[in-house]
Amino acid sequence: MSKPSLPAGTRDFGPDVVRKRNHILDTIRSAFQRYGYQPLETPAFENMETLMGKYGEEGDKLIFKILNNGLDNPEKEAKVRAGFETVLQGKSSTDITERALKYDLTIPFARYVAMNHGQLTFPFKRYQIQPVWRADRPQKGRYREFYQCDADVVGSRSLLYEAELACLYHEVFTNLGLTGYTLLVNHRSLLLALADRCGNQDWLVPITVAIDKLDKIGLEKVKTELTQKQIPSAAIEQIEKYLSVEGTADSVLEQLNALLGEIPEGAAGIGALREWMGYLADQPVSFRIDPTLARGLNYYTGMIFEVKAPATVSMGSIGGGGRYDDLTGLFGVSDVPGVGISFGVDRIYDVMEALELFPSDIAQPPRILFFNLGITEGKVTFGLLQELRKKGIAADMYPESAKFDKQFKYAEKRGITYVAILGESELKTQTIQLKNLSTGTQSTLSHTDFLNIELS
RNA sequence: GUGGUUGUAGCUCAGCUGGUUAGAGCAUCAGAUUGUGGUUCUGAGGGUCGCCGGUUCGAACCCGGUCAUCCACCCCA
């Protein structure tokens, strides 16, 4: 029997961790509800065709596939062998795997909307807090099973929603005490306009992939990568101009206007950002327009968001989102535009742990531990224990008669402040001793007085 | 998927150029102390040195493989 172990990239969450996670999840959930989003849950796994091809080529590789049952059925042997050949060629075959674990919450949501669009009232706002799975190689801040918290609204093109989602980010991170975050925004149309300016809109993907790395690898390496991707040098000059844009939001938009304003997509993107900023003018939301922000998921078409953790913790992005014009079109229902954001709870947890942002009173041990001093005494003690529990006071009792030393130490380890002692002599006098472990004070009380006590 | 790091007690780690019986701190258990904890003292239990093979008179240590781990790249929350 080998030692038990966990699959790579997964974790158990002990009591302390769950409490802290719940603190984050509760903060997010209550904000979602205040903004009028409704809860939704979808299955852990979906049909393969629901997920495949939605996240790009890289994404497909990272989808966890579930092996079909009954592959040993002799009647299916030919099919299974053919399917296996397909898999060996690096493709996927539903003859081997027809289901896969969900990779994010957005695509399953799109599937849900496509299946239920007849019943839904638009604009439909939903939030969803569930685990997702990625067959990535784990490393810092990257897990194979992690939670996403998404808020999306479908059925409207109004930029009011982009504005409210920015407020939502601000509210959640402020309530968590994570004030050092940065909200980066951009508009896909600007990137499209840049590709156009360079001479070919098909260059959108290679250009965005390269410039997205600017702050990581520097301008020279970005230019090298663009050259390698056969982007002509005249185009790279344009890109370099685009990348040099910086400053306040207004100044960035002005510079972009000079660069891309003549191109319809450019004008549209700049206009959208201006309108969005108008809604936020009197809101406490802070953000930065980052023309290099691209985001990998290829279904985004409008504004895109990314939340960066404070630079001191090197954690990369702890949230992201954007507008997609036609996500449900992938499932045969067109004309349902949407916009949404996501919180990466596991990374937020890591960041808050690193910055020591969790409140210290997050542990909730029972208030009182009843000592166990024998079966006869225990009967009375158990009765009092249940009375306290009925009154809503968290209390616990030591399971068997043991030395005081042991019972005291147990109370301390669990962080319990009060112990209640009912032994032979208290049994006779129908009293109980209540001791406060942090002050050391102790008093003898009648049972009724004890049950009415106000704990400090 | 590619490259590297590290695997020694429940946890964090020592362990010399290969040399008798592999250590420490914390944790656990017991006692000092049979109805009053935190501190202290004493003692005990706990290890196939990740696993498999090789070199050697001899391997925790050197070599090969393998598994796990963490980190970086790719990509991403």
Side-chain angles (χ1 to χ4, degrees):
Chain A
M1 186 82 183
S2 57
K3 281 185 185 173
S5 63
L6 244 50
T10 66
R11 294 130 321 141
D12 287 323
F13 302 118
D16 291 341
V17 179
V18 172
R19 278 192 204 97
K20 290 176 183 171
R21 287 172 64 85
N22 282 344
H23 174 244
I24 298 173
L25 294 174
D26 292 345
T27 304
I28 294 173
R29 187 179 292 114
S30 73
F32 282 169
Q33 284 169 353
R34 269 198 306 286
Y35 277 74
Y37 291 78
Q38 304 184 70
L40 176 75
E41 293 192 18
T42 63
F45 53 92
E46 296 273 350
N47 291 325
M48 276 290 273
E49 55 268 32
T50 303
L51 303 182
M52 291 299 285
K54 309 300 193 297
Y55 308 105
E57 219 171 293
E58 285 297 322
D60 283 354
K61 286 186 198 159
L62 298 179
I63 292 172
F64 262 111
K65 287 123 193 146
I66 301 172
L67 191 65
N68 289 355
N69 290 67
L71 291 180
D72 56 345
N73 183 341
E75 286 176 26
K76 293 184 189 162
E77 188 175 332
K79 259 190 162 187
V80 169
R81 286 191 190 280
F84 193 64
E85 283 304 314
T86 313
V87 170
L88 284 180
Q89 287 160 24
K91 299 170 194 161
S92 74
S93 159
T94 50
D95 291 324
I96 303 289
T97 59
E98 52 191 24
R99 294 163 295 244
L101 293 177
K102 69 173 167 234
Y103 179 89
D104 72 354
L105 302 179
T106 309
I107 291 295
F109 172 56
R111 192 223 71 222
Y112 171 85
V113 172
M115 286 176 66
N116 296 281
H117 71 284
Q119 281 79 263
L120 299 175
T121 306
F122 291 107
F124 177 62
K125 305 172 80 174
R126 84 86 175 76
Y127 75 85
Q128 195 168 347
I129 300 179
Q130 287 190 276
V132 301
W133 294 268
R134 295 187 188 179
D136 221 349
R137 193 173 287 199
Q139 64 183 265
K140 184 177 175 140
R142 177 177 302 193
Y143 307 99
R144 284 184 166 172
E145 177 186 63
F146 61 97
Y147 270 73
Q148 286 194 332
C149 305
D150 279 26
D152 286 81
V153 44
V154 292
S156 167
R157 288 197 162 77
S158 170
L159 284 164
L160 214 47
Y161 288 119
E162 273 87 335
E164 110 173 357
L165 290 169
C167 294
L168 199 40
Y169 266 139
H170 176 263
E171 203 163 308
V172 168
F173 287 122
T174 307
N175 288 347
L176 288 175
L178 221 171
T179 48
Y181 80 98
T182 312
L183 174 61
L184 302 177
V185 302
N186 194 14
H187 200 290
R188 274 279 164 101
S189 294
L190 294 174
L191 295 165
L192 202 57
L194 175 65
D196 192 84
R197 173 113 248 171
C198 291
N200 188 343
Q201 291 205 351
D202 291 343
W203 291 338
L204 174 69
V205 173
I207 289 175
T208 52
V209 166
I211 67 177
D212 198 30
K213 298 176 189 165
L214 179 67
D215 56 343
K216 210 167 187 176
I217 64 176
L219 181 60
E220 285 314 309
K221 286 190 178 172
V222 170
K223 283 162 76 175
T224 312
E225 185 167 332
L226 287 167
T227 310
Q228 280 167 0
K229 285 182 178 169
Q230 323 278 314
I231 307 293
S233 56
I236 294 180
E237 264 175 52
Q238 293 294 330
I239 294 169
E240 198 171 346
K241 269 192 213 163
Y242 178 85
L243 293 180
S244 67
V245 170
E246 57 179 22
T248 64
D250 287 317
S251 140
V252 166
L253 288 182
E254 252 171 62
Q255 295 171 62
L256 288 175
N257 194 41
L259 210 58
L260 305 170
E262 292 164 15
I263 300 164
E265 285 87 355
I270 291 161
L273 287 172
R274 286 215 166 108
E275 183 184 338
W276 177 76
M277 281 164 59
Y279 293 127
L280 294 177
D282 296 324
Q283 300 301 320
V285 178
S286 64
F287 61 90
R288 211 178 78 217
I289 297 178
D290 178 359
T292 71
L293 179 65
R295 291 190 58 76
L297 297 172
N298 51 15
Y299 47 68
Y300 290 128
T301 51
M303 270 193 72
I304 45 183
F305 302 99
E306 181 153 319
V307 181
K308 285 228 191 295
T312 47
V313 287
S314 77
M315 182 57 78
S317 101
I318 53 175
R323 175 168 286 278
Y324 38 87
D325 271 341
D326 194 26
L327 206 51
T328 56
L330 298 167
F331 301 107
V333 176
S334 50
D335 274 334
V336 185
V339 58
I341 58 169
S342 180
F343 290 84
V345 188
D346 299 82
R347 285 189 179 175
I348 292 172
Y349 179 96
D350 291 343
V351 170
M352 289 184 63
E353 195 70 287
L355 297 176
E356 296 176 10
L357 292 177
F358 286 108
S360 52
D361 59 353
I362 210 159
Q364 300 147 344
R367 304 305 319 278
I368 299 191
L369 178 75
F370 286 84
F371 274 24
N372 189 326
L373 298 168
I375 290 174
T376 318
E377 294 87 342
K379 267 195 218 163
V380 182
T381 309
F382 187 69
L384 292 168
L385 166 67
Q386 287 302 92
E387 286 301 316
L388 277 197
R389 284 173 170 171
K390 273 180 208 158
K391 298 176 75 152
I393 296 173
D396 213 342
M397 178 172 168
Y398 202 78
E400 61 259 321
S401 180
K403 295 205 298 187
F404 269 49
D405 182 67
K406 225 176 159 174
Q407 305 201 41
F408 270 121
K409 282 181 179 161
Y410 180 73
E412 263 162 35
K413 270 185 203 150
R414 290 193 57 189
I416 299 171
T417 312
Y418 289 92
V419 298
I421 304 168
L422 195 156
E424 204 179 334
S425 52
E426 288 82 11
L427 201 59
K428 279 181 198 150
T429 55
Q430 298 202 343
T431 56
I432 187 163
Q433 305 272 355
L434 181 67
K435 178 164 185 172
N436 181 326
L437 291 189
S438 46
T439 62
T441 56
Q442 181 167 340
S443 48
T444 308
L445 301 168
S446 73
H447 290 182
T448 30
D449 285 352
F450 173 74
L451 289 175
N452 289 318
I453 196 102
E454 296 283 332
L455 297 179
S456 61

